[in-house]
Every structure is written in structure tokens, then in C-alpha cells.
Amino acid sequence: MEISSIIGAIVIGIVIGVLGRLVVPGRQRIGVVLTIVVGIVAALLGSAIAAAFGVADTKGPDWIEWFIQIALAAVGVAALDRARARR
């Protein structure tokens, strides 16, 4: 993996994590680093799911892939928030 792809994954992870965090209502008790990690994981899983369904490469913006990634990030942020709230 090249450094540019690692930096790209981090940037996409930041965007996806923040958007996923915005979707979840209320205040979340997770930090910025966990939001970025959730975003990176959601971006990778969302890309794999979109590729499995054949919607990863479309003409124009890949809206379905973005929707999947943001939904996964929202689920991840909500799950981590609930896990931290129980402690």
C-alpha cells in the first residue's frame, strides 16, 4: 500500500466518520480518533459491500456507495457510544 493511498483512506475516513456522526442524533461520547477509525472501517466495508452488489463503479458520483459507507459509520458511532455509556 502506498503512502498516498494511506493518506487517502484517512481523509475519506475523516469525512465518512464525521458524516456518520452527524446522522446519529444527540451527543456522542466518543473522541475524534475513534470517529476517524470508525470512518475508515466504514469506508472500507462500504466499498466492499458496494463492489459485491455491483454498484461501486457507476457513471458519475457513487451515491449508493457513499450512502452505504455513511450508514455503516452511523451504526459504528452509535454502537461505540452505547458501549462507552454502559461503562
Side-chain angles (χ1 to χ4, degrees), residues 51-68:
F53 285 115
V55 294
D57 294 321
T58 59
K59 294 180 182 178
D62 297 326
W63 296 111
I64 297 171
E65 183 177 7
W66 274 80
F67 177 75
I68 293 169

Side-chain angles (χ1 to χ4, degrees), residues 24-83:
V24 177
R27 182 171 184 242
Q28 293 83 37
R29 292 172 287 281
I30 65 171
V32 174
V33 175
L34 280 177
T35 301
I36 293 171
V37 170
V38 167
I40 292 170
V41 171
L44 294 173
L45 285 175
S47 294
I49 292 169
F53 285 115
V55 294
D57 294 321
T58 59
K59 294 180 182 178
D62 297 326
W63 296 111
I64 297 171
E65 183 177 7
W66 274 80
F67 177 75
I68 293 169
Q69 291 170 340
I70 293 168
L72 288 173
V75 169
V77 166
L80 277 176
D81 182 47
R82 289 198 180 220

